[in-house]
Amino acid sequence: MFKAIRISILLLVLLFVVLNTWLTQKRSTDWNNSLRMKVYPINADGSAETARYIASLSHDTFADIEDFMRTETERYGSSLERPVRVALGEPISDQPPKIEPDASVFGVMLWSLKMRWWVSSATSDQDSIEPDVSMFVRYHSEGGQIRLENSLGVQKGMYGIVNAYAGRRYAGTNNVIIAHELIHTLGGTDKYEPGSGQPQNPDGLAEPQRKPLYPQRYAEIMGGRVALAADDAVIPKSLKYAVIGELTAREIRLTD
């Protein structure tokens, strides 16, 4: 009898988690209310330089993410004044769990569970009201000359992990990556070639009807880069050079 009760309780908890996740995802893309995203800075390399940069961060650092989302949702017919509201959280000292490059299916599942637990526990002491999207930005010293790990955005859990450089001259490109991962949490998919990073034609291009096709003037946010040629592309310097393409807009329910 006790075993049956325990299993029933676990099933109810699982049902509650699944239902809550579904409702959160549904509400996040109805575009009737502002989506609350909170940015949590992390000193990824432990350097004093990175710590100083994190201390200089403010809401203004991420303001163009709000501007980008407002401009693009308006373009698709939304009248919401601030579709995304960005808040800056307190720095977090804990590093997120790592996943091995050759992880098995079970390893990925285990990592996913660890991440869900880490996301909730890492911010529990500063969030009386949980944001809709939690974005953890791991800053690295710009003088480190290291190749940053890939960033990610997870819809089931509504969180993102962004690897970024510490330094004002990187703020624009950092925000492009943050916006990219934000769109992932809303259901947007990548639109670039995994190996080369080249935007896919046509859905990864900002102007697929442009003649001549190259060079493109803007980046489709989920294509990630401005395509200069069929085999050459660059990350835009800021969100002023990015747009939400039609397929991405359908994926995040901005349009039918």
Side-chain angles (χ1 to χ4, degrees):
M1 177 64 71
F2 177 75
K3 183 178 180 180
I5 293 174
R6 185 174 62 180
I7 292 175
S8 297
I9 292 173
L10 289 174
L11 288 174
L12 285 173
V13 170
L14 179 60
L15 178 62
F16 173 79
V17 171
V18 171
L19 181 61
N20 184 62
T21 299
W22 181 82
L23 288 173
T24 300
Q25 292 173 359
K26 192 77 171 176
R27 192 192 69 78
S28 68
T29 54
D30 62 15
W31 304 108
N32 292 326
N33 299 286
S34 296
L35 186 73
R36 294 173 294 109
M37 181 179 78
K38 196 165 186 177
V39 175
Y40 303 93
I42 300 175
N43 189 333
D45 56 18
S47 70
E49 179 184 352
T50 300
R52 285 193 296 271
Y53 179 70
I54 289 176
S56 75
L57 294 175
S58 69
H59 174 268
D60 289 346
T61 309
F62 310 99
D64 61 348
I65 298 175
E66 291 188 0
D67 294 339
F68 170 75
M69 292 301 297
R70 182 182 65 254
T71 299
E72 290 303 292
T73 54
E74 282 180 356
R75 198 162 61 85
Y76 285 100
S78 173
S79 58
L80 194 59
E81 184 178 353
R82 290 180 69 185
V84 173
R85 294 175 180 265
V86 180
L88 177 61
E90 295 295 324
I92 291 176
S93 57
D94 293 337
Q95 300 293 331
K98 287 189 174 183
I99 184 172
E100 297 299 327
D102 57 349
S104 63
V105 174
F106 176 77
V108 172
M109 291 175 62
L110 181 60
W111 170 83
S112 180
L113 290 173
K114 288 180 178 178
M115 273 301 308
R116 292 289 291 271
W117 173 259
W118 181 85
V119 167
S120 62
S121 61
T123 62
S124 59
D125 61 344
Q126 61 173 294
D127 288 337
S128 56
I129 300 177
E130 291 186 6
D132 300 305
V133 178
S134 300
M135 194 66 63
F136 301 91
V137 183
R138 302 180 69 240
Y139 286 102
H140 303 256
S141 170
E142 60 177 315
Q145 299 299 317
I146 63 169
R147 186 176 184 276
L148 297 183
E149 299 174 28
N150 290 333
S151 300
L152 61 90
V154 180
Q155 186 179 18
K156 293 183 178 179
M158 303 291 288
Y159 66 85
I161 305 290
V162 171
N163 286 287
Y165 285 118
R168 291 184 179 179
R169 67 187 177 119
Y170 298 104
T173 53
N174 288 344
N175 283 345
V176 171
I177 300 171
I178 293 172
H180 178 97
E181 302 308 337
L182 167 63
I183 298 293
H184 268 315
T185 70
L186 304 180
T189 60
D190 283 326
K191 296 171 181 63
Y192 58 81
E193 298 301 330
S196 65
Q198 186 71 18
Q200 297 170 347
N201 183 8
D203 296 322
L205 299 179
E207 303 171 295
Q209 306 303 323
R210 180 174 169 80
K211 294 182 181 180
L213 186 59
Y214 303 107
Q216 292 274 298
R217 296 176 297 176
Y218 305 95
E220 200 286 328
I221 190 65
M222 301 311 288
R225 301 187 180 197
V226 181
L228 304 178
D231 59 353
D232 186 20
V234 295
I235 297 176
K237 293 182 179 180
S238 78
L239 285 166
K240 293 179 181 179
Y241 303 99
V243 300
I244 293 177
E246 292 186 5
L247 178 56
T248 300
R250 290 198 296 272
E251 290 173 339
I252 64 175
R253 300 172 61 204
L254 268 177
T255 186
D256 296 330

